[in-house]
Amino acid sequence: MQAAQAEITRRINALRGGLNPTLQRVADFVLGRTLDAKAMSIRELAGEAGVSQASVSRFVRLVGAESYQDFRIMLAEGLTRRAAGARSGEHEVYEGIAPGDDAAAIIAKVSRRQTEIIAGAALTLDPGELQKAADLVSAHHTLIFFAVGSSLLAAENGVMRFLRIGKACIFNRDANIQMFSVAGLAGRAVAIGISDSGRTRSTVEALREARALGMPTIAVTSAAGSPLTRHADAVLNLPGAAPEPTGGEGMYESMVSKMAQLTAMDALYALVAVQDHDKALERLDYTDAVIARSRLK
């Protein structure tokens, strides 16, 4: 089993925020008492977590195990791998990649993590919240985006997508100018804040200001209950690439998690487009012609 599926606890951390309260109880028990959990029967784990055995079975399938026994093996292998790393002083440099991995191993690990994160987005994105966000976008002519760092990719993808179907989009890479952009847009725009951690100061403050001015707001984040979500009317919750560092293991800006952000932005765009199908097609025909003219023969 490939590095206990990049260490099962990493995957549980990534998915936790999008699980329902019952499955979150299972996740919290496993994360808090991993050593105990790997030795428990499904009946014992269900009892300790205060859930049904059926809920535990659903949980293990959601995190990628074929059976409860498979899940226990993955937990055990993840613990063994973590202990070996601690003894050797080995630190991951990126998404489960560590010194000693060759080119083939790195390709396999990065590809697997990208596949996991996109599959995780299908589990954590709430259709009701996506519909709520699409209704807000459909009801307004202008979109204003807030993002910094690698979350810029999702913001710029959103700008490109929504411009193509006739929405006016405002986005600037400078965090101060993002804040300035809020002025005068109350009642005319929807604000979209994108932050994997949900704690990026400039993005949180910009979304808070937009909402204070009366704008509807949308948060795109991997952290349910984070500061960003407190200022959002709709939350597109995503799996994170890794838990927040607690010390010693290093910190890096994950690009894998941005695959989930791009997935969310594409889903939001697609839902808005199909809700006004005829107008979207008219605009797409025009922008297709613009793109065609930009290509060399």
Side-chain angles (χ1 to χ4, degrees), residues 192-219:
I192 302 176
I194 308 169
S195 168
D196 193 38
S197 69
R199 291 189 292 276
T200 303
R201 184 183 299 276
S202 61
T203 304
V204 172
E205 288 303 307
L207 202 68
R208 180 196 62 76
E209 182 68 14
R211 198 180 198 197
L213 291 172
M215 287 186 208
T217 53
I218 299 167

PDB file of all heavy atoms in Angstrom, residues 192-219:
ATOM      1  N   ILE A 192     -15.857  37.635  -3.484  1.00  0.00           N
ATOM      2  CA  ILE A 192     -15.417  36.243  -3.353  1.00  0.00           C
ATOM      3  C   ILE A 192     -14.022  36.228  -2.746  1.00  0.00           C
ATOM      4  O   ILE A 192     -13.067  36.735  -3.347  1.00  0.00           O
ATOM      5  CB  ILE A 192     -15.412  35.527  -4.719  1.00  0.00           C
ATOM      6  CG1 ILE A 192     -16.804  35.570  -5.350  1.00  0.00           C
ATOM      7  CG2 ILE A 192     -14.932  34.085  -4.563  1.00  0.00           C
ATOM      8  CD1 ILE A 192     -16.867  34.973  -6.756  1.00  0.00           C
ATOM      9  N   GLY A 193     -13.893  35.671  -1.540  1.00  0.00           N
ATOM     10  CA  GLY A 193     -12.606  35.565  -0.870  1.00  0.00           C
ATOM     11  C   GLY A 193     -12.093  34.137  -0.946  1.00  0.00           C
ATOM     12  O   GLY A 193     -12.816  33.191  -0.644  1.00  0.00           O
ATOM     13  N   ILE A 194     -10.832  33.986  -1.350  1.00  0.00           N
ATOM     14  CA  ILE A 194     -10.244  32.656  -1.543  1.00  0.00           C
ATOM     15  C   ILE A 194      -9.009  32.521  -0.662  1.00  0.00           C
ATOM     16  O   ILE A 194      -8.045  33.277  -0.812  1.00  0.00           O
ATOM     17  CB  ILE A 194      -9.862  32.429  -3.018  1.00  0.00           C
ATOM     18  CG1 ILE A 194     -11.049  32.732  -3.943  1.00  0.00           C
ATOM     19  CG2 ILE A 194      -9.360  31.004  -3.234  1.00  0.00           C
ATOM     20  CD1 ILE A 194     -10.685  32.799  -5.418  1.00  0.00           C
ATOM     21  N   SER A 195      -9.036  31.574   0.253  1.00  0.00           N
ATOM     22  CA  SER A 195      -7.895  31.320   1.140  1.00  0.00           C
ATOM     23  C   SER A 195      -7.954  29.883   1.616  1.00  0.00           C
ATOM     24  O   SER A 195      -8.934  29.478   2.241  1.00  0.00           O
ATOM     25  CB  SER A 195      -7.907  32.270   2.342  1.00  0.00           C
ATOM     26  OG  SER A 195      -6.969  31.860   3.332  1.00  0.00           O
ATOM     27  N   ASP A 196      -6.922  29.108   1.323  1.00  0.00           N
ATOM     28  CA  ASP A 196      -6.889  27.702   1.723  1.00  0.00           C
ATOM     29  C   ASP A 196      -7.021  27.566   3.239  1.00  0.00           C
ATOM     30  O   ASP A 196      -7.827  26.783   3.738  1.00  0.00           O
ATOM     31  CB  ASP A 196      -5.576  27.071   1.246  1.00  0.00           C
ATOM     32  CG  ASP A 196      -5.596  25.555   1.347  1.00  0.00           C
ATOM     33  OD1 ASP A 196      -6.651  24.960   1.073  1.00  0.00           O
ATOM     34  OD2 ASP A 196      -4.554  24.967   1.689  1.00  0.00           O
ATOM     35  N   SER A 197      -6.255  28.356   3.987  1.00  0.00           N
ATOM     36  CA  SER A 197      -6.279  28.280   5.454  1.00  0.00           C
ATOM     37  C   SER A 197      -7.478  28.987   6.056  1.00  0.00           C
ATOM     38  O   SER A 197      -7.847  28.723   7.206  1.00  0.00           O
ATOM     39  CB  SER A 197      -5.003  28.908   6.028  1.00  0.00           C
ATOM     40  OG  SER A 197      -5.014  30.315   5.826  1.00  0.00           O
ATOM     41  N   GLY A 198      -8.076  29.914   5.304  1.00  0.00           N
ATOM     42  CA  GLY A 198      -9.168  30.722   5.850  1.00  0.00           C
ATOM     43  C   GLY A 198      -8.698  31.746   6.859  1.00  0.00           C
ATOM     44  O   GLY A 198      -9.515  32.384   7.531  1.00  0.00           O
ATOM     45  N   ARG A 199      -7.387  31.932   6.945  1.00  0.00           N
ATOM     46  CA  ARG A 199      -6.831  32.854   7.937  1.00  0.00           C
ATOM     47  C   ARG A 199      -5.886  33.890   7.331  1.00  0.00           C
ATOM     48  O   ARG A 199      -5.195  34.589   8.082  1.00  0.00           O
ATOM     49  CB  ARG A 199      -6.101  32.059   9.026  1.00  0.00           C
ATOM     50  CG  ARG A 199      -7.013  31.249   9.910  1.00  0.00           C
ATOM     51  CD  ARG A 199      -6.258  30.666  11.094  1.00  0.00           C
ATOM     52  NE  ARG A 199      -5.305  29.668  10.668  1.00  0.00           N
ATOM     53  CZ  ARG A 199      -5.616  28.383  10.435  1.00  0.00           C
ATOM     54  NH1 ARG A 199      -6.855  27.968  10.566  1.00  0.00           N
ATOM     55  NH2 ARG A 199      -4.703  27.518  10.068  1.00  0.00           N
ATOM     56  N   THR A 200      -5.844  33.981   6.014  1.00  0.00           N
ATOM     57  CA  THR A 200      -4.989  34.988   5.391  1.00  0.00           C
ATOM     58  C   THR A 200      -5.539  36.372   5.724  1.00  0.00           C
ATOM     59  O   THR A 200      -6.658  36.716   5.339  1.00  0.00           O
ATOM     60  CB  THR A 200      -4.936  34.783   3.864  1.00  0.00           C
ATOM     61  OG1 THR A 200      -4.486  33.458   3.596  1.00  0.00           O
ATOM     62  CG2 THR A 200      -4.009  35.796   3.213  1.00  0.00           C
ATOM     63  N   ARG A 201      -4.744  37.148   6.441  1.00  0.00           N
ATOM     64  CA  ARG A 201      -5.247  38.401   7.030  1.00  0.00           C
ATOM     65  C   ARG A 201      -5.879  39.327   6.006  1.00  0.00           C
ATOM     66  O   ARG A 201      -7.003  39.814   6.193  1.00  0.00           O
ATOM     67  CB  ARG A 201      -4.119  39.140   7.763  1.00  0.00           C
ATOM     68  CG  ARG A 201      -4.585  40.405   8.488  1.00  0.00           C
ATOM     69  CD  ARG A 201      -3.416  41.132   9.126  1.00  0.00           C
ATOM     70  NE  ARG A 201      -2.762  40.289  10.120  1.00  0.00           N
ATOM     71  CZ  ARG A 201      -3.173  40.174  11.391  1.00  0.00           C
ATOM     72  NH1 ARG A 201      -4.245  40.822  11.788  1.00  0.00           N
ATOM     73  NH2 ARG A 201      -2.521  39.408  12.239  1.00  0.00           N
ATOM     74  N   SER A 202      -5.188  39.594   4.893  1.00  0.00           N
ATOM     75  CA  SER A 202      -5.704  40.569   3.932  1.00  0.00           C
ATOM     76  C   SER A 202      -7.009  40.084   3.298  1.00  0.00           C
ATOM     77  O   SER A 202      -7.929  40.875   3.069  1.00  0.00           O
ATOM     78  CB  SER A 202      -4.659  40.861   2.851  1.00  0.00           C
ATOM     79  OG  SER A 202      -4.332  39.682   2.137  1.00  0.00           O
ATOM     80  N   THR A 203      -7.103  38.787   3.028  1.00  0.00           N
ATOM     81  CA  THR A 203      -8.315  38.242   2.409  1.00  0.00           C
ATOM     82  C   THR A 203      -9.485  38.273   3.384  1.00  0.00           C
ATOM     83  O   THR A 203     -10.618  38.648   3.021  1.00  0.00           O
ATOM     84  CB  THR A 203      -8.066  36.800   1.920  1.00  0.00           C
ATOM     85  OG1 THR A 203      -6.948  36.807   1.016  1.00  0.00           O
ATOM     86  CG2 THR A 203      -9.285  36.245   1.213  1.00  0.00           C
ATOM     87  N   VAL A 204      -9.232  37.895   4.624  1.00  0.00           N
ATOM     88  CA  VAL A 204     -10.289  37.932   5.649  1.00  0.00           C
ATOM     89  C   VAL A 204     -10.784  39.354   5.857  1.00  0.00           C
ATOM     90  O   VAL A 204     -12.002  39.612   5.911  1.00  0.00           O
ATOM     91  CB  VAL A 204      -9.784  37.338   6.983  1.00  0.00           C
ATOM     92  CG1 VAL A 204     -10.799  37.562   8.101  1.00  0.00           C
ATOM     93  CG2 VAL A 204      -9.493  35.845   6.830  1.00  0.00           C
ATOM     94  N   GLU A 205      -9.856  40.304   5.965  1.00  0.00           N
ATOM     95  CA  GLU A 205     -10.246  41.694   6.207  1.00  0.00           C
ATOM     96  C   GLU A 205     -11.010  42.283   5.025  1.00  0.00           C
ATOM     97  O   GLU A 205     -11.971  43.043   5.208  1.00  0.00           O
ATOM     98  CB  GLU A 205      -9.006  42.539   6.520  1.00  0.00           C
ATOM     99  CG  GLU A 205      -8.412  42.274   7.889  1.00  0.00           C
ATOM    100  CD  GLU A 205      -9.422  42.491   9.006  1.00  0.00           C
ATOM    101  OE1 GLU A 205     -10.022  43.577   9.055  1.00  0.00           O
ATOM    102  OE2 GLU A 205      -9.632  41.561   9.800  1.00  0.00           O
ATOM    103  N   ALA A 206     -10.603  41.938   3.821  1.00  0.00           N
ATOM    104  CA  ALA A 206     -11.308  42.451   2.638  1.00  0.00           C
ATOM    105  C   ALA A 206     -12.729  41.903   2.578  1.00  0.00           C
ATOM    106  O   ALA A 206     -13.681  42.638   2.282  1.00  0.00           O
ATOM    107  CB  ALA A 206     -10.533  42.090   1.373  1.00  0.00           C
ATOM    108  N   LEU A 207     -12.895  40.608   2.872  1.00  0.00           N
ATOM    109  CA  LEU A 207     -14.242  40.031   2.837  1.00  0.00           C
ATOM    110  C   LEU A 207     -15.100  40.603   3.959  1.00  0.00           C
ATOM    111  O   LEU A 207     -16.295  40.870   3.768  1.00  0.00           O
ATOM    112  CB  LEU A 207     -14.167  38.504   2.950  1.00  0.00           C
ATOM    113  CG  LEU A 207     -15.390  37.756   2.405  1.00  0.00           C
ATOM    114  CD1 LEU A 207     -15.473  37.904   0.889  1.00  0.00           C
ATOM    115  CD2 LEU A 207     -15.352  36.279   2.783  1.00  0.00           C
ATOM    116  N   ARG A 208     -14.492  40.806   5.129  1.00  0.00           N
ATOM    117  CA  ARG A 208     -15.227  41.407   6.254  1.00  0.00           C
ATOM    118  C   ARG A 208     -15.704  42.806   5.888  1.00  0.00           C
ATOM    119  O   ARG A 208     -16.861  43.172   6.137  1.00  0.00           O
ATOM    120  CB  ARG A 208     -14.323  41.483   7.495  1.00  0.00           C
ATOM    121  CG  ARG A 208     -15.007  42.089   8.724  1.00  0.00           C
ATOM    122  CD  ARG A 208     -14.011  42.486   9.777  1.00  0.00           C
ATOM    123  NE  ARG A 208     -13.095  43.503   9.288  1.00  0.00           N
ATOM    124  CZ  ARG A 208     -13.413  44.787   9.149  1.00  0.00           C
ATOM    125  NH1 ARG A 208     -14.643  45.221   9.446  1.00  0.00           N
ATOM    126  NH2 ARG A 208     -12.530  45.645   8.692  1.00  0.00           N
ATOM    127  N   GLU A 209     -14.834  43.596   5.257  1.00  0.00           N
ATOM    128  CA  GLU A 209     -15.194  44.962   4.869  1.00  0.00           C
ATOM    129  C   GLU A 209     -16.303  44.958   3.826  1.00  0.00           C
ATOM    130  O   GLU A 209     -17.237  45.769   3.888  1.00  0.00           O
ATOM    131  CB  GLU A 209     -13.959  45.679   4.330  1.00  0.00           C
ATOM    132  CG  GLU A 209     -14.179  47.134   3.927  1.00  0.00           C
ATOM    133  CD  GLU A 209     -14.463  48.041   5.117  1.00  0.00           C
ATOM    134  OE1 GLU A 209     -14.246  47.625   6.273  1.00  0.00           O
ATOM    135  OE2 GLU A 209     -14.913  49.191   4.881  1.00  0.00           O
ATOM    136  N   ALA A 210     -16.193  44.052   2.856  1.00  0.00           N
ATOM    137  CA  ALA A 210     -17.223  43.967   1.818  1.00  0.00           C
ATOM    138  C   ALA A 210     -18.583  43.655   2.429  1.00  0.00           C
ATOM    139  O   ALA A 210     -19.599  44.273   2.077  1.00  0.00           O
ATOM    140  CB  ALA A 210     -16.843  42.889   0.800  1.00  0.00           C
ATOM    141  N   ARG A 211     -18.611  42.727   3.349  1.00  0.00           N
ATOM    142  CA  ARG A 211     -19.886  42.369   3.973  1.00  0.00           C
ATOM    143  C   ARG A 211     -20.424  43.507   4.824  1.00  0.00           C
ATOM    144  O   ARG A 211     -21.636  43.759   4.866  1.00  0.00           O
ATOM    145  CB  ARG A 211     -19.713  41.116   4.822  1.00  0.00           C
ATOM    146  CG  ARG A 211     -21.047  40.441   5.135  1.00  0.00           C
ATOM    147  CD  ARG A 211     -20.836  39.212   5.966  1.00  0.00           C
ATOM    148  NE  ARG A 211     -21.989  38.333   5.923  1.00  0.00           N
ATOM    149  CZ  ARG A 211     -22.195  37.364   6.797  1.00  0.00           C
ATOM    150  NH1 ARG A 211     -21.323  37.140   7.759  1.00  0.00           N
ATOM    151  NH2 ARG A 211     -23.263  36.604   6.697  1.00  0.00           N
ATOM    152  N   ALA A 212     -19.525  44.210   5.519  1.00  0.00           N
ATOM    153  CA  ALA A 212     -19.950  45.339   6.351  1.00  0.00           C
ATOM    154  C   ALA A 212     -20.590  46.431   5.502  1.00  0.00           C
ATOM    155  O   ALA A 212     -21.473  47.162   5.980  1.00  0.00           O
ATOM    156  CB  ALA A 212     -18.761  45.898   7.124  1.00  0.00           C
ATOM    157  N   LEU A 213     -20.162  46.532   4.236  1.00  0.00           N
ATOM    158  CA  LEU A 213     -20.720  47.529   3.326  1.00  0.00           C
ATOM    159  C   LEU A 213     -22.007  47.046   2.652  1.00  0.00           C
ATOM    160  O   LEU A 213     -22.590  47.758   1.849  1.00  0.00           O
ATOM    161  CB  LEU A 213     -19.684  47.904   2.267  1.00  0.00           C
ATOM    162  CG  LEU A 213     -18.470  48.698   2.771  1.00  0.00           C
ATOM    163  CD1 LEU A 213     -17.435  48.843   1.664  1.00  0.00           C
ATOM    164  CD2 LEU A 213     -18.903  50.065   3.276  1.00  0.00           C
ATOM    165  N   GLY A 214     -22.421  45.825   2.960  1.00  0.00           N
ATOM    166  CA  GLY A 214     -23.677  45.322   2.426  1.00  0.00           C
ATOM    167  C   GLY A 214     -23.567  44.408   1.228  1.00  0.00           C
ATOM    168  O   GLY A 214     -24.581  44.038   0.632  1.00  0.00           O
ATOM    169  N   MET A 215     -22.340  44.034   0.850  1.00  0.00           N
ATOM    170  CA  MET A 215     -22.187  43.120  -0.282  1.00  0.00           C
ATOM    171  C   MET A 215     -22.446  41.682   0.152  1.00  0.00           C
ATOM    172  O   MET A 215     -22.032  41.272   1.237  1.00  0.00           O
ATOM    173  CB  MET A 215     -20.750  43.171  -0.828  1.00  0.00           C
ATOM    174  CG  MET A 215     -20.407  44.391  -1.593  1.00  0.00           C
ATOM    175  SD  MET A 215     -18.749  44.155  -2.299  1.00  0.00           S
ATOM    176  CE  MET A 215     -18.236  45.865  -2.389  1.00  0.00           C
ATOM    177  N   PRO A 216     -23.087  40.868  -0.700  1.00  0.00           N
ATOM    178  CA  PRO A 216     -23.115  39.432  -0.439  1.00  0.00           C
ATOM    179  C   PRO A 216     -21.704  38.870  -0.618  1.00  0.00           C
ATOM    180  O   PRO A 216     -20.936  39.361  -1.464  1.00  0.00           O
ATOM    181  CB  PRO A 216     -24.075  38.887  -1.500  1.00  0.00           C
ATOM    182  CG  PRO A 216     -24.089  39.910  -2.569  1.00  0.00           C
ATOM    183  CD  PRO A 216     -23.817  41.236  -1.919  1.00  0.00           C
ATOM    184  N   THR A 217     -21.348  37.861   0.150  1.00  0.00           N
ATOM    185  CA  THR A 217     -19.973  37.373   0.154  1.00  0.00           C
ATOM    186  C   THR A 217     -19.926  35.852   0.038  1.00  0.00           C
ATOM    187  O   THR A 217     -20.780  35.139   0.554  1.00  0.00           O
ATOM    188  CB  THR A 217     -19.249  37.801   1.442  1.00  0.00           C
ATOM    189  OG1 THR A 217     -20.028  37.388   2.577  1.00  0.00           O
ATOM    190  CG2 THR A 217     -19.068  39.311   1.498  1.00  0.00           C
ATOM    191  N   ILE A 218     -18.867  35.376  -0.616  1.00  0.00           N
ATOM    192  CA  ILE A 218     -18.638  33.946  -0.812  1.00  0.00           C
ATOM    193  C   ILE A 218     -17.219  33.627  -0.356  1.00  0.00           C
ATOM    194  O   ILE A 218     -16.270  34.342  -0.718  1.00  0.00           O
ATOM    195  CB  ILE A 218     -18.801  33.553  -2.290  1.00  0.00           C
ATOM    196  CG1 ILE A 218     -20.225  33.867  -2.776  1.00  0.00           C
ATOM    197  CG2 ILE A 218     -18.462  32.078  -2.517  1.00  0.00           C
ATOM    198  CD1 ILE A 218     -20.384  33.807  -4.292  1.00  0.00           C
ATOM    199  N   ALA A 219     -17.056  32.577   0.437  1.00  0.00           N
ATOM    200  CA  ALA A 219     -15.731  32.125   0.865  1.00  0.00           C
ATOM    201  C   ALA A 219     -15.401  30.810   0.180  1.00  0.00           C
ATOM    202  O   ALA A 219     -16.233  29.915   0.097  1.00  0.00           O
ATOM    203  CB  ALA A 219     -15.687  31.944   2.376  1.00  0.00           C
TER     204      ALA A 219
END
